[in-house]
Amino acid sequence: MLMAVDRRRKMLGYLRRVNYDTFENTCKQLDIQYSPPQPYTRRVTKRWLVKKAFCIKVFEEKQKLKAAVRLRQRRERQARARAAREQQEKQVQEKQTQEGTPV
C-alpha cells in the first residue's frame, strides 16, 4: 500500500509539473488535496559550519589573488590605450604640420 501511495504521489508531482490543468482535474475527481513536499533543509552541524567557513576563506583568498591579476591587466590595458592615443595625437599633429606648410 505504501508503495502504491508513493507511486501516486510521484505521478501527481510529475503531472503537476507537466500539465497543471489535468493535475487539478485529476485531484478534483479523486477528491485529493495535494500538498507539495517540504523543501530540503540541511541539518546544521559543527563539521558543516567549519567546512563552510573554510570554503568561504578559500573563496575570499582566491578573489584577492584574482583582484591583483585583474588590476595588473587593467593597468596594462590603460597603458596600451594611452600609448595608442598619444600615437594617434602625434599622427594628427604631423598631418596638420604637413598640411599647413605650402609646397
Side-chain angles (χ1 to χ4, degrees):
M1 186 172 115
L2 290 176
M3 289 173 62
V5 169
D6 190 47
R7 187 173 51 195
R8 183 181 74 180
R9 183 184 57 79
K10 287 180 183 178
M11 287 181 183
L12 283 173
Y14 171 76
L15 193 58
R16 182 172 181 251
R17 284 191 312 272
V18 174
N19 192 346
Y20 193 77
D21 294 333
T22 308
F23 165 76
E24 281 185 329
N25 289 337
T26 306
C27 286
K28 209 176 282 181
Q29 288 174 359
L30 295 176
D31 197 27
I32 296 173
Q33 190 172 10
Y34 180 83
S35 59
Q38 295 292 323
Y40 173 76
T41 55
R42 174 182 287 279
R43 217 176 92 208
V44 178
T45 61
K46 187 175 181 179
R47 181 175 187 265
W48 181 78
L49 286 173
V50 170
K51 186 176 179 181
K52 185 172 181 178
F54 177 71
C55 288
I56 289 172
K57 275 189 177 181
V58 168
F59 176 76
E60 287 172 351
E61 289 299 317
K62 187 72 174 170
Q63 290 298 98
K64 286 179 187 176
L65 293 174
K66 283 184 180 179
V69 170
R70 276 187 261 135
L71 179 63
R72 187 174 66 239
Q73 289 173 346
R74 183 176 38 187
R75 286 184 178 160
E76 289 172 357
R77 278 194 310 269
Q78 288 173 345
R80 283 194 303 266
R82 192 177 313 116
R85 199 170 37 248
E86 288 171 357
Q87 187 176 5
Q88 188 178 17
E89 289 174 1
K90 195 176 192 181
Q91 288 175 352
V92 168
Q93 286 177 355
E94 287 176 3
K95 277 187 178 181
Q96 287 176 351
T97 57
Q98 288 175 356
E99 291 173 2
T101 57
V103 179

